[in-house]
Amino acid sequence: MHSDIAGGPIGEVVVGLTDVRKEYSDSVALDGVSLEIRAGEAVAVMGPSGSGKSTLLNLVAGLDRPTSGSVAVHGEDLGRLSETGLALFRRRRIGMVFQFFNLLDDLPALDNVALAAQLTGTKAPQARRRALELLDELGVAGRRDTYPAQLSGGERQRVAVARALVNRPALLLADEPTGALDSRSGEQVMDLLLDLNQIGQTLLLVTHDQRLATRCASRVVEVVDGRIARESAVARS
Amino acid sequence: MNAVWRVARAAVRRRMLQTVVIGVVVWVSAATVVMALGLLASSAAPFDRAHDEQRGAHLAAVFDSSAVDRLAGTSGRAGVEAAAGPYALAGVEAADGGGFGVAGELTAVGRADPAGAVDRVTVWSGRWVGGPGEIVLNLPPGAPVAPGRVVDLAGGGSVTVVGLAFSVSQTADAWVTPEQATAWGSTASQMLYRLVDHATAADISRGEASVSTGLPLLGTQSYLAVKQRFSQEAGVYVPFLTVFGALGLAVAVLSVANLVSGAVVAGYRHIGVLKALGYTPNQVMAVYLVMVTAPAVVGTALGVCTGDLVGGPLVRDAVEGFGVADTGVPWWVDLAVLVGMPALVAVVALLPALRARRQPAAAAISAGSRPGARRAPRVQRALSGTRLPRSVSLGLGVPFARPARSALTAAAVVLGVATVTLAVGVTLSVTAFRDAANPTRANQVDVMAAVPGGTPADGPDDPLSELAPRLGDAQDEAVLRAAPGVLGVVASSQQLVRLVGGNETHVVRFYRGDASAVRPRVWAGAWPARGGEVAVSAKFLTQTGLALGDTTTLEQRGKRVPVRIVGVVLENVTGSVLGTWETLESLLPGSRATAYQVTLDPDADRDAFARAVAAGDPGIRVTPPRGGTSSQAVVIISTATLLTLLLGGIAALGVFNTVVLNTRERRRDLGVLKSVGMTPRQVTSMVVTSMAGLGLVGGLIGLPLGMVVHRVVVHAAAPINSPDLLLSVVPDLLLSVYDAPTLVLLPLAGVGIAVLGALVPARRAARMTIAAALRSE
Ligand SMILES: Nc1ncnc2c1ncn2[C@@H]1O[C@H](COP(=O)(O)OP(=O)(O)O)[C@@H](O)[C@H]1O
Ligand SMILES: [Mg+2]
C-alpha cells in the first residue's frame, strides 16, 4: 500500500463530540453522545437499525448540525462554520463511503474520482493522474471509462473508496460500506479498510456486521436508542 | 468553477431527454413570443413614426371656397399648433375608369409645394407639379406605378403624372398646381392643422370646433380615423395574438417551472452527493442553473430565428401600405426575447435551485427519494377500496405522491385546453361572422349587368370587361322576371362614392325595391326606408368616426347628397354603405342597375334559367355562386391552428416530462409490481391513467377559462369602437359559438394532451426489465 495517506501521529484528537443531541421533527436520533477519536484509530459504531449511527456520522461529516452539543474535527468547531465553510471543510478533511455508493451517475468512474480532487483546486490533468493511480491500486483501473450504472456493486464501492481517498483526508467515514455487497466483495472492501488503517488512516466506520467490526476496528462503540451503550477496545483478529 | 462546469456539462449531456425537452419547450415559446410581439409592435408604431416624420395633419378640414380669404387666419385660433393652406380642392376623373391606376374620382389638392408647416409630403418618385397639366398621385412608396403616364380626363383635356408622393395623413388623392385646381372649377378649400391636444377623438372635435367657428365647414378628417384604417388589418390580429402570446408565455413559464423543479427533485440524491463531496451551496445552485439555462439559451436562439422566419411575412403583411420601410420583426423584439427568455428561465429555475442550495445533504443521501410517502398511501387506500381495476386505481393515486408537480402539469394542461377552446371559438366566430355578413343563399344568383361605377376592369381577361347590356334597365329586369323558375328580382347599383371632407372612397350599394331577401342583416337601428337614409357597416363607423344617427354627405361628380345613418350591418362584401334607389337618383340621376339578385325556386333548372337570360340579353351575365373565405379569415384560422398545435404540444411535452420523472422515481415500485405479476399492458395503463385523470381535471378547468378569454378577444376584435353599440353589434351569434358536442369534446382535449404526452414514457416504463428496475438505486 502507498504511504502517503494522511494521518496524524497517534494520540492527537481528531474528532470530539460533546454532549451531542439531535432531534428530528418526530423523533430523537441522538441523545447526549460524547465521543473522542484519536488519530490513527479505527472506530466502529454498531447498533440496531434506527439507533442513530448514520446520524452520528453525518454530524461528524458536517452534513447535518446537532440540535445541541458540539462537534469538533481537527480542533475546528463545526458549529461555527457556515454552510460554505462546511463544504470547504468536507472537501479537504473528510472522505466518505456510503452503503449505496452514491456515485454521480452522469460521470464515468475516473471522472467521479477526479472531480473530488478538482474541487480542492487540483488541475484537471493532475487530478486525473491521481485518480487513475488510486483506481489502479484498488484494482478497478480497467473500468475507468465505465459509468456507475454498468459497474457491479463491488466495483462501485471501490470507485467510491478511491473518491473518498483522493484528497488524502484526515478522516475517512464509512456508513455500512459492505451492507450492499455480496460476501466476497464485502471481504475485499474490509481488507482495503484494514490496510488503510494500518498505514495510519483514521477511520470512523458504521456497521452492524460483527465480523467487519472486529476485523477492522481498534475500538467498538455501541449505540442504542441514540445513546452510547458500551465502548470496548478490540484485540484485532 | 471548473468543478461546477464539469458536473453541469455531464448532466446536460447525459440527461439528454430533459435537456431536449427544456430546449424544445423554450424554442417553441420563444418563437411564439417573437411572432406575437413582432405583430404587436408593428401594428401601431409605423403610422405614428411616419406621421411624426411628415408633421402630418391631425385635422384636415374642407371649407366652402366663399370663405377662402378668412381661412389662413384660423392658424391663430385656440389649440392650433400649426396650420397649412388654404389649398383649392377639385375633383378629377379619368376618361376611362382606371386611368390613374386608382378607382373613381380623385380629390386633387392645389399645392405649389410639398413641404410646409404641416403635411410634408414625401415625393418618392419623379418630381412635384410645376405647371398646368401636371399631376402627382398620392401612393405609398413601392406602389407598382411609374410617373410619365398621360391620362385623358372625363371632362376633356389631359394631365401628365409627373411624380408619385405619399401623405401619411391622406390629405389628398393627388396634387396639382393651385392654378390648375382653380381652373378645374374648385369650390372648396382645404386647411391642414396640427393640434396641441390630439390624443383622443374628443381633442380633435374640440380642435374642429375651434377652427370652424363662423366658417362654412363642409367636412373634416381626423388622423385618428386614418390611423385606425391603416392599423385595421393588424387590428383584428392584435387582441388575438396578444392573448395567444400571453398564453404561450404562461404555458412556457409553467412548463419550465415544472421541468426545472422536476430536475431538482429528481436530483435530490445527486445534490446530496455533491454536497457530501464538498460542493458549496452556491456551487450546487450554479450547477442546477447551468443545467437548465444552457438548453434554454440554445432553444431561445432557435426560437428567435423561427419567430423571425414565420413572423416576418406576417409583420410585412400587417404594415403593408404604411409607407414606411419595415422589413419584418423589429430588431428590439429579437433582442428582448434573446435576453429575456433565458433570464426568465433562470428566474424560474432560481426557486428550485435555491431549494437545492438549502437542501440538507444528510437526508438527501440516506433518504434517496421518498417524499410524499405519507400522503400517497391514504389516497391509495381509498382508491383501492373502489371497484376500479387495480392498475387504474394505482395510477390515479400517482399524482398525489407529488402534488406540486401534478399541479404544475395540470396547469399546463389547463392552458393547453384553454388555447384549444379559444382557437375553436375564434374559428367558429370568424366563420359565423362571415356567414352572417355574407350569407350563402343557395337559391340566389347574381346577374351582372354593368361595370359597377368606378370599378376598373382588370384587363381584357376580366369577365366584367365584356359587360355591355343590349337592353335597358327595365327591360333587363323584365327578362329576368320572365325567366323560368324565378321567384323574385332585386336590382342594385354599386358605386364608389366619397364623403365630403374625406378622401377615402366607399363602396355604396343602392337597392331598388324590397331588398329584404338579399340584403345583409341589420344589427342596430333599421334598414333605410327612404331616400337620404343609409345603413353602414360597423367598420365604416370606426373608419369615419361617425355614429348611428349622424348625418354625412355623399359626393359624386360634384353632386352632394346628405344622408343620415339609420342602421348598422355587419361587414360584408357588398359594400360598406347601403342605401335606397331614391338616394342614387339624387346622386346620379338616371343610373341603371349594375346587378340583379335573383331568387330562384329551389327546384329550378339553373341551366334553363341561364339560357333564358342569355337569349333575352346576351350582354348581361349570370355569375357563379359566390364562395370562398376571405384571406383575413384564412390567416386567423390558420394562425389559430398553428398556435393551438404549438401550445398543445408544449403542454403535452410538460406531461411527457412529468411522466418521465414519475416513472424514473418509481422505477423500483414498478419493478416490484411487475415482479408480483403486473403485465406490461397493465403498467402502461396505470401510468397513462395517472395522467389522463390530470388531463380531465385540466380540461374541465381549461374549458370555461378558454370561453371567457374567447369572449374578451371577440369584444376586442369586433370592428366597433363605440361602447353603446358594443352589445348590439357584437351579437350573440359571435359569442355563442360553442354547442353541446363541442362542450363535451373540448375537455377531452385535455385528456388527449395528457395521454399523448404519457404514452411514450409509459410504454418505456412497461418495457423496462424487472432486473433493471429493481437494481436501480
Ligand atoms: N432526515 C430525517 N428526518 C426525520 N427522521 C430521521 C431522519 N434521518 C433519520 N431519522 C430518524 O432518526 C433515527 C435514527 O436514524 P439513523 O441515524 O438513520 O439510524 P441508523 O443509521 O442507526 O439506522 C431513526 O428513528 C430515523 O427514523
Ligand atoms: Mg444507517
Side-chain angles (χ1 to χ4, degrees):
Chain A
M1 233 37 241
H2 47 86
S3 56
D4 58 359
I5 288 175
I10 294 204
E12 184 194 330
V13 175
V14 178
V15 177
L17 274 73
T18 316
D19 200 18
V20 169
R21 183 177 167 86
K22 175 68 186 176
E23 294 170 9
Y24 289 109
S25 50
D26 49 0
S27 63
V28 178
L30 289 179
D31 185 8
V33 170
S34 296
L35 181 67
E36 220 169 58
I37 299 173
R38 289 173 182 275
E41 270 195 295
V43 175
V45 180
M46 299 195 64
S49 180
S51 56
K53 307 183 295 292
S54 297
T55 304
L56 177 69
L57 213 63
N58 288 339
L59 291 176
V60 172
L63 286 173
D64 218 341
R65 293 173 186 274
T67 312
S68 66
S70 77
V71 180
V73 177
H74 257 266
E76 196 156 24
D77 182 357
L78 299 193
R80 296 227 184 124
L81 295 179
S82 64
E83 283 302 313
T84 305
L86 283 175
L88 299 177
F89 153 76
R90 270 195 300 275
R91 41 171 102 145
R92 295 182 191 287
R93 302 274 186 209
I94 303 285
M96 277 195 98
V97 178
F98 304 91
Q99 177 175 6
F100 291 109
F101 327 120
N102 281 328
L103 295 173
L104 292 172
D105 299 332
D106 301 331
L107 295 172
L110 182 69
D111 287 344
N112 255 289
V113 180
L115 186 70
Q118 276 174 271
L119 265 182
T120 59
T122 314
K123 292 270 173 289
Q126 281 105 297
R128 292 169 71 85
R129 210 175 314 129
R130 163 109 178 108
L132 193 56
E133 274 168 30
L134 278 169
L135 288 180
D136 192 31
E137 284 173 29
L138 297 180
V140 282
R143 307 291 269 158
R144 63 179 169 220
D145 293 326
T146 310
Y147 284 91
Q150 270 84 51
L151 294 173
S152 75
E155 287 169 334
R156 283 192 224 187
Q157 198 60 302
R158 279 189 251 181
V159 174
V161 171
R163 183 180 65 182
L165 294 177
V166 78
N167 289 325
R168 302 183 178 93
L171 180 62
L172 181 62
L173 303 175
D175 191 352
E176 312 212 12
T178 60
L181 301 178
D182 60 84
S183 56
R184 212 174 64 85
S185 304
E187 205 81 35
Q188 286 171 349
V189 169
M190 262 186 251
D191 288 341
L192 193 60
L193 295 176
L194 184 59
D195 287 351
L196 285 169
N197 180 240
Q198 272 166 0
I199 58 167
Q201 174 72 58
T202 313
L203 196 61
L204 176 57
L205 176 71
V206 167
T207 182
H208 46 226
D209 180 344
Q210 187 67 46
R211 243 163 39 85
L212 176 63
T214 48
R215 235 180 102 188
C216 298
S218 51
R219 183 151 61 107
V220 172
V221 175
E222 265 183 76
V223 179
V224 178
D225 287 341
R227 293 168 181 276
I228 295 183
R230 197 151 62 102
E231 270 191 66
S232 51
V234 180
R236 286 190 202 167
S237 50
Chain B
M1 211 51 212
N2 198 8
V4 169
W5 186 239
R6 185 96 200 80
V7 170
R9 206 180 57 185
V12 165
R13 272 211 338 257
R14 294 269 298 168
R15 297 170 197 191
M16 227 7 168
L17 195 64
Q18 177 183 302
T19 304
V20 167
V21 170
I22 292 178
V24 170
V25 165
V26 173
W27 176 3
V28 176
S29 309
T32 311
V33 174
V34 165
M35 272 159 58
L37 279 183
L39 275 154
L40 283 177
S42 64
S43 59
F47 180 85
D48 291 336
R49 205 163 70 220
H51 195 261
D52 278 353
E53 277 169 13
Q54 289 196 350
R55 287 183 58 79
H58 295 129
L59 180 71
V62 177
F63 298 90
D64 193 286
S65 295
S66 58
V68 67
D69 295 339
R70 289 185 287 147
L71 293 180
T74 59
S75 64
R77 293 201 178 178
V80 176
E81 177 194 299
Y87 303 126
L89 211 80
V92 53
E93 191 171 8
D96 59 331
F100 286 116
V102 278
E105 191 188 57
L106 307 188
T107 298
V109 168
R111 259 174 87 163
D113 185 358
V118 181
D119 191 30
R120 293 172 182 161
V121 174
T122 318
V123 183
W124 57 271
S125 178
R127 59 167 176 84
W128 195 249
V129 288
E134 291 182 353
I135 195 166
V136 167
L137 298 178
N138 182 14
L139 289 169
V145 178
R149 154 146 60 157
V150 177
V151 179
D152 294 326
L153 299 180
S158 67
V159 287
T160 306
V161 179
V162 296
L164 303 169
F166 184 59
S167 158
V168 178
S169 24
Q170 293 291 295
T171 54
D173 293 328
W175 293 274
V176 293
T177 58
E179 297 74 29
Q180 180 70 77
T182 312
W184 281 341
S186 163
T187 61
S189 298
Q190 182 190 57
M191 284 295 296
L192 305 176
Y193 301 98
R194 278 181 74 81
L195 303 176
V196 178
D197 297 320
H198 54 261
T200 66
D203 291 337
I204 304 294
S205 296
R206 261 194 305 280
E208 178 183 321
S210 167
V211 298
S212 65
T213 310
L215 292 169
L217 183 69
L218 294 175
T220 58
Q221 175 178 271
S222 156
Y223 86 108
L224 291 174
V226 178
K227 176 177 177 174
Q228 176 88 33
R229 202 153 64 224
F230 272 116
S231 327
Q232 197 176 63
E233 267 296 287
V236 178
Y237 301 124
V238 166
F240 180 68
L241 278 154
T242 313
V243 166
F244 269 107
L247 277 174
L249 204 63
V251 172
V253 168
L254 276 174
S255 300
V256 169
N258 196 13
L259 248 53
V260 174
S261 46
V264 171
V265 174
Y268 199 62
R269 195 184 58 89
H270 185 241
I271 292 165
V273 174
L274 292 180
K275 290 194 166 175
L277 279 177
Y279 276 76
T280 64
N282 285 337
Q283 283 177 319
V284 171
M285 189 172 79
V287 166
Y288 274 73
L289 278 180
V290 171
M291 248 165 74
V292 294
T293 312
V297 167
V298 176
T300 302
L302 286 173
V304 167
C305 293
T306 313
D308 282 351
L309 278 178
V310 181
L314 277 177
V315 169
R316 269 186 286 276
D317 277 359
V319 301
E320 211 170 47
F322 278 88
V324 291
D326 249 288
T327 50
V329 177
W331 62 269
W332 60 264
V333 167
D334 287 351
L335 188 69
V337 175
L338 270 177
V339 174
M341 205 70 189
L344 181 75
V345 171
V347 166
V348 168
L350 200 61
L351 209 69
L354 279 171
R355 222 176 92 191
R357 184 183 186 280
R358 276 199 315 271
Q359 212 161 72
I365 292 178
S366 42
S369 48
R370 58 167 194 201
R374 235 159 287 157
R375 218 159 331 196
R378 197 183 310 156
V379 178
Q380 207 57 270
R381 239 176 286 130
L383 279 168
S384 48
T386 63
R387 314 196 63 160
L388 293 166
R390 195 71 193 96
S391 57
V392 171
S393 66
L394 274 174
L396 285 175
V398 169
F400 295 94
R402 290 233 178 258
R405 178 187 299 167
S406 303
L408 282 174
T409 311
V413 174
V414 166
L415 292 181
V417 172
T419 307
V420 175
T421 305
L422 173 63
V424 168
V426 166
T427 304
L428 290 175
S429 291
V430 168
T431 312
F433 181 83
R434 198 188 58 219
D435 289 350
N438 185 22
T440 45
R441 291 167 171 135
N443 60 338
Q444 279 182 4
V445 287
D446 284 357
V447 180
M448 303 302 293
V451 179
T455 307
D458 285 343
D461 294 339
D462 187 334
L464 295 182
S465 67
E466 288 171 34
L467 282 178
R470 312 283 156 85
L471 306 177
D473 190 2
Q475 288 125 306
D476 274 336
E477 187 170 342
V479 164
L480 292 172
R481 288 192 186 282
V486 172
L487 297 179
V489 176
V490 176
S492 67
S493 171
Q494 184 176 306
Q495 300 293 331
L496 283 171
V497 176
R498 76 179 57 252
L499 301 185
V500 173
N503 286 303
E504 191 80 350
T505 50
H506 297 275
V507 178
V508 185
R509 182 171 282 251
F510 301 93
Y511 289 97
R512 187 164 67 204
D514 177 13
S516 54
V518 296
R519 62 171 169 81
R521 278 167 74 178
V522 176
W523 294 109
W527 183 252
R530 55 191 68 83
E533 290 184 351
V534 291
V536 299
S537 68
K539 202 188 245 172
F540 173 88
L541 294 182
T542 351
Q543 282 178 3
T544 57
L546 292 166
L548 188 60
D550 282 0
T551 299
T552 182
T553 306
L554 304 181
E555 178 176 7
Q556 179 80 318
R557 300 204 180 112
K559 238 202 162 117
R560 292 177 185 157
V561 175
V563 290
R564 205 165 69 82
I565 299 168
V566 298
V568 179
V569 297
L570 279 181
E571 192 57 29
N572 68 95
V573 296
T574 58
S576 51
V577 180
L578 306 162
T580 63
W581 204 259
E582 290 94 313
T583 311
L584 177 64
E585 275 297 313
S586 335
L587 196 63
L588 294 166
S591 295
R592 66 155 295 150
T594 59
Y596 303 90
Q597 281 79 44
V598 179
T599 309
L600 292 175
D601 189 310
D603 301 326
D605 177 352
R606 283 173 187 246
D607 289 340
F609 168 77
R611 276 196 301 277
V613 172
D617 183 348
I620 61 178
R621 186 157 320 237
V622 179
T623 60
R626 227 187 279 113
T629 308
S630 82
S631 67
Q632 204 174 62
V634 169
V635 171
I636 289 181
I637 291 172
S638 48
T639 316
T641 313
L642 178 73
L643 289 171
T644 302
L645 287 177
L646 291 182
L647 296 192
I650 298 180
L653 274 173
V655 175
F656 176 90
N657 181 62
T658 293
V659 175
V660 167
L661 292 175
N662 280 351
T663 52
R664 188 181 294 156
E665 279 167 21
R666 304 173 70 82
R667 211 144 52 167
R668 191 171 299 181
D669 297 4
L670 291 175
V672 171
L673 289 173
K674 285 165 93 172
S675 72
V676 298
M678 192 176 256
T679 65
R681 185 187 293 264
Q682 280 174 317
V683 171
T684 306
S685 92
M686 181 182 81
V687 174
V688 170
T689 307
S690 71
M691 288 299 116
L694 269 193
L696 189 64
V697 172
L700 289 175
I701 301 172
L703 174 71
L705 183 67
M707 288 171 74
V708 168
V709 175
H710 169 255
R711 188 163 273 267
V712 171
V713 169
V714 167
H715 274 288
I720 281 297
N721 62 357
S722 132
D724 52 340
L725 274 177
L726 192 69
L727 289 177
S728 53
V729 182
V730 177
D732 270 359
L733 176 82
L734 298 190
L735 292 174
S736 321
V737 290
Y738 300 102
D739 55 8
T742 316
L743 289 179
V744 173
L745 283 174
L746 281 173
L748 292 183
V751 179
I753 288 173
V755 169
L756 195 73
L759 210 54
V760 172
R763 297 195 50 176
R764 225 177 52 163
R767 274 201 310 270
M768 189 170 56
T769 60
I770 299 173
L774 290 177
R775 182 186 144 96
S776 64
E777 289 172 35

